[in-house]
Amino acid sequence: MARTSRAHVTTRPLWRWRHNPLRRHSDVVEAWIVLAVWTVTLLGGLLAGWAAGQAVDQTFAARRAAAHTVSAELTENAAEGSPVVAGYDVGKVWVTVRWTAADGSTRTGLAKADPTSTTGSRLQVWVNHGERLVGPPPSQAEATFETVMTAALVAPLVSTGVWGAGWVIRRQLMRHRLDEWDAEWRQIGPQWRNFSGGKG
């Protein structure tokens, strides 16, 4: 008895793939849909996460390539500058700095400096190819963290979306199958009742 039950449990998940008189075309379609959904859910989620992570990494790499550091000189005491009121640099102040561009011209702009810095002090600032001051690009460690976090966020979102779409399709197939059963029962039901009545 235990052997029969164990065999039944083993073969039941694959019954849609086996030839039997009770299997319908919709059962075969559903089996393929289930296989496709699980495949896309697992592999598609991983690939989507990897692609999103690579896109973020390439964006950060482009930002790093588009800027470089130069040595700038404060043209005023930092105590005379405006305080930074937001972001990670709260506690620093905005001061005017001067640096020499690649073409030899002198450029000026606003940069963040420690409040104790004095006129003539030097600091490293980031400029783009147009010799305009820009914020520092993310470091390699920060870029790696953002890449991993993006991949970890996108992968389950894509997998959940694919699984949800598969669930909706399977519900539609179930409704179709129930309609088929109702139609067949309307044909067979009267015959069954007549057979049962005649036997009685």
Side-chain angles (χ1 to χ4, degrees), residues 147-170:
T147 298
V148 172
M149 291 301 296
T150 300
L153 177 63
V154 170
L157 287 177
V158 172
S159 297
T160 301
V162 172
W163 185 88
W167 181 80
V168 171
I169 294 174
R170 291 189 66 189

Side-chain angles (χ1 to χ4, degrees), residues 51-64 140 143-144 146-147:
Q54 289 298 307
V56 171
D57 186 62
Q58 291 176 4
T59 299
F60 287 153
R63 288 180 57 185
R64 289 193 296 270
Q140 186 61 53
T144 299
E146 290 291 339
T147 298

Side-chain angles (χ1 to χ4, degrees), residues 173-192:
L173 286 175
M174 179 62 72
R175 291 178 180 178
H176 179 69
R177 187 181 299 118
L178 291 176
D179 291 339
E180 288 182 340
W181 287 344
D182 289 340
E184 291 182 2
W185 178 248
R186 284 194 295 270
Q187 296 177 359
I188 300 175
Q191 301 177 15
W192 178 264

Side-chain angles (χ1 to χ4, degrees), residues 42-179:
L42 296 177
L43 297 182
L46 292 176
L47 290 176
W50 178 83
Q54 289 298 307
V56 171
D57 186 62
Q58 291 176 4
T59 299
F60 287 153
R63 288 180 57 185
R64 289 193 296 270
H68 61 279
T69 59
V70 297
S71 178
E73 179 184 1
L74 274 68
T75 62
E76 61 180 335
N77 291 326
E80 302 173 1
S82 302
V84 177
V85 297
Y88 295 105
D89 292 324
V90 171
K92 292 187 175 183
V93 294
W94 290 103
V95 295
T96 302
V97 298
R98 178 175 56 235
W99 72 96
T100 302
D103 60 4
S105 62
T106 300
R107 305 293 181 91
T108 59
L110 291 177
K112 300 173 184 177
D114 293 327
T116 57
S117 301
T118 58
T119 302
S121 300
R122 306 198 70 86
L123 74 161
Q124 295 291 315
V125 296
W126 287 87
V127 297
N128 59 19
H129 295 320
E131 292 295 336
R132 294 181 179 274
L133 289 173
V134 295
S139 64
Q140 186 61 53
E142 292 172 337
T144 299
F145 176 78
E146 290 291 339
T147 298
V148 172
M149 291 301 296
T150 300
L153 177 63
V154 170
L157 287 177
V158 172
S159 297
T160 301
V162 172
W163 185 88
W167 181 80
V168 171
I169 294 174
R170 291 189 66 189
R171 281 186 61 87
Q172 294 297 326
L173 286 175
M174 179 62 72
R175 291 178 180 178
H176 179 69
R177 187 181 299 118
L178 291 176
D179 291 339

